[in-house]
Amino acid sequence: MYTYSEFDAAFVAERNRQFRAQVARRVDGSLTENEFKPLRLMNGLYLQLHAYMLRVAIPYGTLGSHQMRQLAVIAERWDKGHGHFTTRQNIQFNWPKLADVPDILDALGEVQMHAIQTSGNTIRNVTADHFAGAAADEVADPRPIAELIRQWSTDHPEFQALPRKFKVAVTGSPMDRAVTLAHDIGLRIVRRDGLIGYQVIVGGGLGRTPMIGKVLHDFLPEEDLLPYIEAVVSVWNSIGRRDNKFKSRIKITVHEHGVDDIRARVDLRYALIRPQFSGIDQQMLGAIRDDFRAPEFRVAPTDTYDAARKANPVFRAWADTNLAEHRAPGYAIVSISLKAHGETPGDATAEQMRVMADLAERYGHDELRISHEQNVILPHIHQSDLHAVHAALREVGLATANIGLISDIIACPGMDYCTLATARSIPIAQEIATRFDALKLEHEIGEMKIKISGCINACGHHHVGHIGILGLDRAGVENYQITIGGDGGADARLGDRTGPGFSADDIVPAIETIMLTYLKHRSNPSETFLAAYRRLGMAPFKTALYGEAEAAKAAKRKAVADVAA
Ligand code: HEM
Ligand code: SF4
């Protein structure tokens, strides 16, 4: 894991000291809320519906046990006993008191964490595959380059007042677990003819105008990556729209100019700045890479695992659902579900955080990850320890066997916390999860990603959900629009709207209707919902949801589209 240099530690401590003074001036009234706003946003502090909210970065989703324990301390001492993990590898605390925030930031600093650039028009927390360094299908660990980008972008003088926030995601696996196609810049580490390079994707994003990113450079050598990214951000910084907040993201710049025009501009800029990169970045990358050396994996028998699987069906169900393939023999990647049926997706109590930290320390080479799907990962667990890990997780309600299933729902905070919300998200997620748990259909339905946002900003990634739910306000009444067929994976796609939205009372029955339609029409039990939708199109789902007339219209549109294609 990356550990702070003296410079890093001094930098964070100095920022905290400055902010402490600013908070003191806000508390004694010498700063108004408006004057204070830009200062607090620089330190990840928002003002939400009921209280301030602090967003803490977990760079590329990696943290150690001591850091997780400190998050537990913060949750207990300064919040209501829990924290909320988000889709951008951050944790949010929803109830800090303003006067306590400097102490929280110091507590974070003690374990080399901070909240810098988790807000504002800057380059935000760099996210990466949550299975990095562990996945069996990995070309290379994406975290060293993510760390280099973080160091380069933190307090970068040219990029503190960008047209809008800017998000970078990196994956090192062909199975894209970082949603690179829906980021301002998505980086994919690829191997071609034995060489490793980077595919650079630009202009993806969700929000009000969702777009899938476009390939800007197909194969960039590693030593050119940082100057190339700097050229991209720099071009956008100079031509990105500042006249209209809704048109400011790079996706609009790429859309308005065309990707070829952007590429030409980037190439020009790149030619100018490339010579300024003398190779120090590559030296730094080499040093960072040392910090991410894989742990010493044990070679040990796995027969206790096989025996536990045979003896204990609850363990077996969990193992079948929540484990992923590790690159080291005898090891597994454990996904801990923060989606117990009926709980708030992404929430963890202080006690749960401590148990996860203890497990990582005892069995998991001291590493934890946060996924963009709001779950926690223990990346390196030997199979012989899985039974003990499962038993400990069960004790604190963390052993729900639902990763990738219908109750593993992403939900933004919505109207429960967020000032921008137009509808609730959390209760809808809770109701769907409990309903399908009661129906006992989860495992039958199989792979299913439901994603819910409480407004068009799309924090819950609804556009790329197999089922997306967008909560809107229709004349003071909550209304939920459904999209189906979205996908956030390697071949990301935006979902299609089913038709008119549903009331809060009708949304769960509507999801049930969609699921029953899928179960009725799938060609065989191994055809996933997404595959069935791609084959069947919208018509049967529309008929089930709205009746024949709407379905006929959908079938006609599909026929026209098929002819046109
Ligand atoms: C409650 C405090 C929050 C506020 C005020 C907030 C605000 C916003 C806003 C204004 C946008 C739209 C930006 C744009 O596209 O121009 C946005 C996007 C986004 N937010 Fe949040 N958000 C909050 C919480 C969260 C949480 C809890 C998550 C994760 C669960 C999250 C994840 C995201 C993501 C992934 C996007 C991406 C949209 C894109 O790709 O452009 N946010 N947020
Ligand atoms: S999608 Fe909207 S309601 Fe949900 S967190 Fe983002 S800004 Fe708030």
Side-chain angles (χ1 to χ4, degrees):
M1 235 170 83
Y2 180 74
T3 45
Y4 279 14
S5 65
E6 263 175 46
F7 172 86
D8 299 333
F11 172 82
V12 170
E14 173 59 18
R15 272 290 284 267
N16 290 354
R17 201 188 54 72
Q18 288 170 3
F19 191 53
R20 184 177 289 278
Q22 291 157 0
V23 169
R25 281 188 278 146
R26 175 69 193 110
V27 170
D28 75 17
S30 43
L31 284 178
T32 63
E33 188 53 42
N34 258 350
E35 288 164 334
F36 181 56
K37 187 176 174 186
L39 305 173
R40 67 170 161 77
L41 289 182
M42 279 177 71
N43 294 285
L45 190 64
Y46 289 74
L47 190 53
Q48 285 304 312
L49 274 184
H50 314 287
Y52 284 99
M53 177 207 83
L54 181 68
R55 181 179 292 156
V56 176
I58 301 169
Y60 32 85
T62 293
L63 77 174
S65 319
H66 64 298
Q67 293 172 316
M68 184 64 113
R69 275 195 199 104
Q70 193 75 322
L71 296 178
V73 168
I74 291 169
E76 218 156 48
R77 191 175 298 165
W78 293 295
D79 204 281
K80 292 190 176 179
H82 50 83
H84 182 75
F85 292 102
T86 79
T87 47
R88 298 215 70 258
Q89 298 178 323
N90 296 311
I91 182 168
Q92 295 186 169
F93 292 105
N94 284 306
W95 304 98
K97 291 202 179 54
L98 178 58
D100 291 334
V101 174
D103 290 343
I104 302 178
L105 292 179
D106 281 349
L108 289 168
E110 280 171 24
V111 293
Q112 313 201 328
M113 296 180 81
H114 62 67
I116 297 165
Q117 290 188 199
T118 59
S119 179
N121 293 332
T122 54
I123 298 174
R124 298 287 186 89
N125 187 29
V126 180
T127 54
D129 181 358
H130 43 265
F131 290 172
D137 63 351
E138 186 169 87
V139 175
D141 190 336
R143 291 172 303 161
I145 198 73
E147 173 60 27
L148 184 72
I149 295 170
R150 168 169 96 117
Q151 294 189 19
W152 158 83
S153 63
T154 302
D155 235 27
H156 191 302
E158 195 181 328
F159 303 140
Q160 292 306 300
L162 293 167
R164 200 76 175 80
K165 59 181 167 178
F166 197 84
K167 299 173 180 174
V168 181
V170 199
T171 179
S173 291
M175 254 319 260
D176 186 349
R177 285 173 292 262
V179 209
T180 55
L181 284 165
H183 280 76
D184 296 302
I185 288 182
L187 300 172
R188 292 176 163 183
I189 306 179
V190 286
R191 184 180 286 121
R192 304 258 164 85
D193 303 326
L195 291 177
I196 288 196
Y198 289 81
Q199 189 183 54
V200 182
I201 294 154
V202 73
L206 301 175
R208 153 189 310 255
T209 319
M211 285 187 190
I212 296 295
K214 298 170 184 70
V215 175
L216 190 63
H217 201 301
D218 198 38
F219 192 76
L220 196 65
E222 184 160 85
E223 65 270 23
D224 295 334
L225 188 66
L226 208 51
Y228 193 79
I229 297 177
E230 178 150 320
V232 175
V233 186
S234 190
V235 163
W236 171 63
N237 198 20
S238 56
I239 64 169
R241 300 264 304 257
R242 284 183 159 84
D243 59 323
N244 180 337
K245 190 177 159 197
F246 302 117
K247 299 197 167 168
S248 55
R249 300 290 294 266
I250 195 170
K251 62 190 173 189
I252 306 292
T253 318
V254 171
H255 181 70
E256 287 182 347
H257 288 255
V259 71
D260 295 330
D261 173 83
I262 297 296
R263 188 179 297 112
R265 289 171 192 263
V266 168
D267 287 347
L268 272 180
R269 180 84 191 133
Y270 174 76
L272 274 179
I273 62 175
R274 181 68 188 92
Q276 295 163 17
F277 284 74
S278 59
I280 291 171
D281 57 316
Q282 291 306 293
Q283 283 171 27
M284 287 168 69
L285 182 59
I288 292 170
R289 213 163 248 139
D290 283 345
D291 281 330
F292 289 95
R293 267 196 312 264
E296 293 272 328
F297 293 121
R298 269 191 295 146
V299 179
T302 56
D303 32 338
T304 50
Y305 170 65
D306 302 327
R309 280 184 64 94
K310 278 208 192 82
N312 180 347
V314 175
F315 172 67
R316 188 167 61 239
W318 174 81
D320 286 345
T321 314
N322 291 30
L323 301 185
E325 202 184 340
H326 198 282
R327 66 194 172 88
Y331 273 77
I333 303 172
V334 174
S335 291
I336 302 172
S337 168
L338 296 185
K339 319 285 176 62
H341 302 110
E343 297 293 327
T344 302
D347 265 13
T349 65
E351 187 198 9
Q352 290 176 327
M353 289 185 215
R354 277 195 193 104
V355 168
M356 293 187 280
D358 291 349
L359 290 174
E361 189 172 66
R362 179 140 181 227
Y363 302 111
H365 298 277
D366 216 11
E367 267 194 50
L368 299 123
R369 306 288 172 71
I370 309 305
S371 79
H372 77 267
E373 289 168 324
Q374 303 185 288
N375 292 316
V376 176
I377 318 292
L378 298 173
H380 314 296
I381 305 289
H382 193 272
Q383 285 182 5
S384 57
D385 293 326
L386 285 170
H387 195 240
V389 167
H390 177 251
L393 291 173
R394 267 187 98 173
E395 301 238 318
V396 286
L398 284 175
T400 312
N402 65 346
I403 296 296
L405 302 181
I406 197 166
S407 62
D408 184 9
I409 298 172
I410 294 183
C412 83
M415 210 114 82
D416 289 273
Y417 295 103
C418 182
T419 42
L420 305 175
T422 45
R424 288 166 302 162
S425 306
I426 293 170
I428 303 298
Q430 290 169 323
E431 284 164 30
I432 293 172
T434 35
R435 178 74 187 136
F436 281 90
D437 189 36
L439 291 173
K440 296 290 164 236
L441 276 179
E442 263 201 274
H443 287 268
E444 183 61 33
I445 290 165
E447 193 188 335
M448 167 53 57
K449 291 179 190 288
I450 296 190
K451 306 187 187 221
I452 310 176
S453 304
C455 80
I456 54 167
N457 285 317
C459 299
H461 284 189
H462 64 274
H463 300 290
V464 291
H466 300 173
I467 294 185
I469 300 177
L470 165 62
L472 294 169
D473 176 294
R474 289 265 177 275
V477 179
E478 285 164 288
N479 184 274
Y480 295 88
Q481 253 173 28
I482 301 178
T483 46
I484 58 184
D487 181 13
D491 180 27
R493 285 200 214 182
L494 305 174
D496 307 311
R497 261 182 65 186
T498 56
F502 295 86
S503 70
D505 287 342
D506 291 339
I507 184 68
V508 181
I511 302 300
E512 203 176 307
T513 301
I514 294 173
M515 285 304 104
L516 296 176
T517 308
Y518 154 65
L519 291 175
K520 187 167 130 201
H521 289 279
R522 68 183 175 187
S523 58
N524 64 71
S526 64
E527 190 183 41
T528 61
F529 171 78
L530 206 53
Y533 175 69
R534 302 256 186 272
R535 179 174 59 81
L536 294 162
M538 184 63 91
F541 297 98
K542 230 177 173 127
T543 315
L545 287 170
Y546 309 101
E548 294 295 338
E550 282 289 335
K553 276 193 239 160
K556 198 165 153 198
R557 271 199 298 274
K558 183 167 190 292
V560 171
D562 286 348
V563 170

